[in-house]
Amino acid sequence: MKIRLSLTTQIAVALVLAIIAGILLQDHPGFVNEFIKPFGTIFLNLLKFIVVPLVLFSIMAGILSMNDMSKLGKLGLRAILYFAFTTLIAVTMGLVVSTLVRGWIPAIDLHIEKTGEGVQMPEVTFMDQIVGMFPDNILTPLGTMAMIQVIVIAILFGVAIVHVAEDGEPARKLVISLNEVVGKVLNYIMAVAPVGVFCMLTPVVVNNGPSVLGSYAVLVALAYSCFLIHVLCVYSPLVYFLGGLSPLRFLREMQPAMLFAFSSDSSVATLPYSMECTRKLGVDESVGSFVLSLGATINMDGVAIYLGATSVFMAACCGIDLTINQYMAIAFAATVASIGTPGIPGGSLALMAMVFASANIPVECVAVAAGIDRIIDMGRTVMSVTGDASCAIVMQKSVAKAKVEENL
């Protein structure tokens, strides 16, 4: 009798084996980086390769299946308001919890060498974020994985195909066909997911072993505690009261996506898993593809928590007593930065300097935080993916309720 393990079990086994292999190969980083890491990179590259067409065609197909543009507008607005609400709570939680435990943060010699003015980062305003949403050509966003711009392209073309009615029928059939083809290619990639997860995580254990975790155990524990609190105290109640779903069932069914998010460190690459998990939870494909793709781009609650907590942590290490104005500056900058963070490994480091600079925390601290960013990034990616799924559940409930009211 042939035993077939579920995807969740296969990924979980791969994670355990990767940790064991990483510990056993701790003294052989050269071998791991030369012969194991490349296969993980290949797998991640394949996921990145399929993400743009997946988001592009799934959103367009979702719009075409809706037909009613008023419903699409309402769904998008509700999803954005949901993400904005949870992100605001996330950054506030990161600041509050880290401030409460500030007295237990050890004095660490960060060995920061002052370089005068430090690293100069371009100022990123709210209007810069708005302008950056709209592409000036169609090819660049597809090649650079500028996901907000890809979503804008998908929405514009999807809406246009619906509006031209019969004349757009050939385009509609082409989009639906390409969406099916992309799904099949995705199945091929997912077939080797356990191997890819093993090859991605083993180098992380080897290169960021116990010595690194031990040095910054407080920050790691602080970040993961905030992540857990946010999932239990924010996502779970929202899923239960607004989505009408048991939090236990929600977390159980989301395990494949959460495990893959933890190992891949990419909310964008986890999209295929999130779509499949939410589908099993009763979310329509049209709703799931739109909300999850949107969330993978603008919903970075894990990043918001981490930026807030890390700012307080680094300030404490540097002996800086933050004022209320500095807290407000961190909250605003972290919220804006989290919305613009790429959904790829290490994306938050690109904007951490902006947050530190807003509160007059030495920008050089970014280099220190980078040492354990990969370890914490795995947890905050799980956070963001879980938040996207919770929104999809809530939006599905909203859509279902609207349909019932229409039929009355």
Side-chain angles (χ1 to χ4, degrees):
M1 182 177 178
K2 187 176 182 180
I3 300 177
R4 183 175 179 82
L5 299 178
S6 65
L7 180 61
T8 303
T9 304
Q10 292 181 47
I11 294 178
V13 170
L15 286 172
V16 173
L17 292 177
I19 293 173
I20 295 174
I23 294 175
L24 295 177
L25 296 172
Q26 198 76 48
D27 296 329
H28 305 282
F31 172 81
V32 172
N33 291 325
E34 185 174 354
F35 295 104
I36 296 179
K37 185 177 181 179
F39 292 100
T41 302
I42 290 173
F43 178 64
L44 190 56
N45 286 345
L46 288 174
L47 286 173
K48 291 179 181 179
F49 146 77
I50 200 64
V51 159
V52 169
L54 175 69
V55 171
L56 181 66
F57 292 116
S58 64
I59 288 182
M60 291 175 68
I63 292 174
L64 296 178
S65 66
M66 287 184 181
N67 289 315
D68 189 342
M69 291 299 99
S70 63
K71 293 180 181 179
L72 174 64
K74 291 178 182 178
L75 178 63
L77 179 59
R78 289 172 181 171
I80 291 173
L81 290 175
Y82 182 96
F83 291 141
F85 173 71
T86 58
T87 299
L88 183 60
I89 293 179
V91 68
T92 301
M93 181 181 299
L95 290 171
V96 171
V97 174
S98 57
T99 300
L100 291 176
V101 301
R102 180 185 172 105
W104 286 275
I105 297 177
I108 300 176
D109 185 2
L110 299 179
H111 299 291
I112 294 177
E113 296 182 5
K114 298 295 182 180
T115 57
E117 298 180 355
V119 180
Q120 297 297 317
M121 295 291 291
E123 183 180 355
V124 180
T125 66
F126 176 74
M127 289 309 300
D128 289 335
Q129 296 283 343
I130 297 298
V131 172
M133 292 172 58
F134 299 92
D136 56 7
N137 68 75
I138 195 172
L139 295 179
T140 300
L142 304 181
T144 60
M145 290 184 66
M147 299 311 296
I148 291 183
Q149 295 184 356
V150 171
I151 289 175
V152 170
I153 292 172
I155 293 175
L156 289 175
F157 276 90
V159 171
I161 293 173
V162 172
H163 278 161
V164 296
E166 293 183 2
D167 291 337
E169 186 62 19
R172 188 188 70 84
K173 291 181 178 179
L174 177 62
V175 169
I176 293 176
S177 176
L178 287 174
N179 191 45
E180 291 294 325
V181 171
V182 170
K184 180 57 67 175
V185 174
L186 181 61
N187 289 338
Y188 299 152
I189 298 173
M190 292 300 103
V192 295
V195 176
V197 167
F198 173 84
C199 294
M200 284 191 299
L201 193 58
T202 300
V204 174
V205 178
V206 171
N207 298 325
N208 301 279
S211 60
V212 175
L213 278 174
S215 300
Y216 299 99
V218 174
L219 180 55
V220 173
L222 174 62
Y224 276 87
S225 296
C226 289
F227 297 158
L228 182 61
I229 293 172
H230 196 70
V231 170
L232 297 179
C233 299
V234 179
Y235 293 149
S236 294
L238 288 173
V239 165
Y240 181 75
F241 290 108
L242 298 183
L245 182 68
S246 165
L248 291 178
R249 185 191 171 201
F250 170 71
L251 294 175
R252 182 174 64 250
E253 294 293 341
M254 284 301 300
Q255 282 183 12
M258 295 168 72
L259 285 171
F260 186 81
F262 185 83
S263 60
S264 69
D265 193 21
S266 173
S267 56
V268 172
T270 311
L271 265 175
Y273 290 94
S274 298
M275 290 181 180
E276 178 63 20
C277 291
T278 53
R279 184 188 65 78
K280 292 180 179 179
L281 287 169
V283 178
D284 291 341
E285 185 176 349
S286 59
V287 175
S289 61
F290 180 80
V291 173
L292 293 174
S293 298
L294 182 65
T297 305
I298 69 172
N299 179 44
M300 298 292 172
D301 288 358
V303 175
I305 286 178
Y306 177 61
L307 290 176
T310 304
S311 297
V312 175
F313 180 86
M314 290 301 176
C317 291
C318 294
I320 299 174
D321 293 322
L322 297 174
T323 65
I324 186 64
N325 289 334
Q326 286 176 305
Y327 275 114
M328 294 177 64
I330 292 172
F332 176 77
T335 300
V336 174
S338 65
I339 293 174
T341 302
I344 56 177
S348 62
L349 285 178
L351 294 169
M352 186 180 289
M354 181 185 76
V355 178
F356 284 177
S358 70
N360 293 322
I361 298 172
V363 177
E364 291 85 357
C365 287
V366 173
V368 179
I372 55 172
D373 181 75
R374 183 69 166 87
I375 297 170
I376 296 180
D377 204 5
M378 294 186 291
R380 64 177 180 248
T381 301
V382 174
M383 267 276 304
S384 299
V385 166
T386 307
D388 297 344
S390 71
C391 182
I393 297 296
V394 173
M395 293 304 108
Q396 176 62 38
K397 181 72 172 181
S398 176
V399 169
K401 182 179 179 181
K403 288 181 178 180
V404 171
E405 292 176 350
E406 288 179 359
N407 295 328
L408 293 178

